[in-house]
Amino acid sequence: MSGLSDAMMQGIGMTSQRTRDRLIERLREQGITDQRVLQVMRNTPRHLFVDEALAHRAYEDTALPIGHGQTISQPYIVARMTQLLLEHGQPHSVLEIGTGCGYQTLILAQLVSQVYSIERIGALYEQAKRRLDELKIYNVELRHTDGSGGWPNRKYRFDRILMTAAASEIPHKLLEQLREGGEMILPFDSGKGQVLLRITRRGDAFETEQFEPVIFVPLLPGVSG
Ligand code: SAH
């Protein structure tokens, strides 16, 4: 990661390493135990993914606006979903639905071999692409399309799928793109609030585990500029 100056990467004041370390401590206290996740989150410059005016809040454990009515996910939930994603062995390929600002994408890119990520809002897609290029991240492919149909024109199957927007129906097209034993992690809105789900492919059957309540922006159909 040499595209940006060291000062920008490391941050100063409210984006300094000490501030980041406090966030990691907080994540630990909340039950994030996977050292790989903690290490990557400690070293990832979240302040580069939010508006400059909000950079001083980048290491608070909170979601922040990224424009277009969307948010960068709360660090705890990024850590939690990433920990669930790595729990049952090392995945190679991960498909993310909802690139947003690209922060979760960058976390994944440092932990698995290949990341594919889809965003429906053109301006966010462009911005995420630029940021990841600047950071010299080469194992991520981005697409500007509706992610509910999965990765376009691809027979390929993924080890993991991570959705960062809440679905109100189980997205079967996405489940079809999981390899045998593969897992999808998603916020699911059953009508009585959102919960985190992990769905595992077992042949043609799918096993569902339910975790804690969460709050995500909704998965929306179609694309937007
Ligand atoms: N992973 C992001 C979270 C972004 S919020 C981060 O770390 O910041 C969720 C994102 O999902 C939004 O950018 C929203 O535009 C996108 N989204 C919603 N519905 C979508 C769909 N059908 N296909 C692709 N992206 C979608």
Side-chain angles (χ1 to χ4, degrees):
M1 290 191 196
S2 57
L4 299 166
S5 73
D6 286 352
M8 258 179 107
M9 288 288 291
Q10 282 160 14
I12 46 166
M14 287 311 283
T15 63
S16 71
Q17 195 60 55
R18 260 185 70 203
T19 313
R20 293 191 208 182
D21 287 346
R22 271 201 295 276
L23 171 64
I24 299 310
E25 223 18 76
R26 208 188 129 100
L27 296 179
R28 265 206 197 94
E29 282 162 18
Q30 290 180 96
I32 305 301
T33 52
D34 189 316
Q35 290 306 323
R36 295 165 295 178
V37 176
L38 291 168
Q39 185 62 20
V40 162
M41 292 205 50
R42 184 171 179 274
N43 294 334
T44 301
R46 189 171 185 254
H47 63 279
L48 301 183
F49 288 81
V50 296
D51 206 76
E52 250 176 78
L54 289 170
H56 66 289
R57 301 190 56 198
Y59 299 96
E60 288 177 18
D61 189 21
T62 176
L64 293 168
I66 54 171
H68 312 274
Q70 307 303 318
T71 52
I72 178 171
S73 304
Q74 180 194 3
Y76 168 73
I77 199 69
V78 171
R80 173 76 173 125
M81 287 175 104
T82 309
Q83 178 163 285
L84 283 172
L85 191 112
L86 297 177
E87 196 174 33
H88 300 142
Q90 174 67 43
H92 297 291
S93 57
V94 177
L95 171 63
E96 178 190 36
I97 310 298
T99 316
C101 64
Y103 174 72
Q104 169 85 69
T105 321
L106 176 57
I107 299 286
L108 293 172
Q110 296 170 87
L111 291 162
V112 308
S113 322
Q114 188 64 41
V115 181
Y116 303 83
S117 184
I118 302 178
E119 171 57 53
R120 65 179 286 281
I121 298 178
L124 291 178
Y125 157 82
E126 294 289 348
Q127 205 175 34
K129 193 163 166 46
R130 202 171 50 242
R131 281 192 180 116
L132 294 170
D133 282 350
E134 278 172 1
L135 291 165
K136 308 219 184 307
I137 300 296
Y138 300 122
N139 61 337
V140 172
E141 270 190 59
L142 301 180
R143 285 275 194 287
H144 173 214
T145 186
D146 178 353
S148 41
W151 193 254
N153 307 324
R154 185 134 192 172
K155 298 264 185 302
Y156 194 64
R157 296 196 176 199
F158 301 97
D159 294 328
R160 301 284 185 274
I161 299 177
L162 181 68
M163 281 182 57
T164 68
S168 48
E169 281 167 39
I170 297 294
H172 290 283
K173 281 203 176 132
L174 283 170
L175 288 174
E176 284 168 18
Q177 293 196 341
L178 277 179
R179 71 155 171 80
E180 169 60 24
E183 301 172 352
M184 174 156 82
I185 291 156
L186 71 156
F188 180 70
D189 192 344
S190 63
K192 291 185 241 137
Q194 299 175 10
V195 288
L196 205 54
L197 297 185
R198 178 165 60 192
I199 305 180
T200 305
R201 177 169 207 156
R202 304 257 180 249
D204 287 334
F206 293 94
E207 251 169 53
T208 303
E209 296 162 272
Q210 185 173 321
F211 302 98
E212 66 269 26
V214 286
I215 302 174
F216 277 83
V217 295
L219 188 77
L220 296 174
V223 289
S224 136

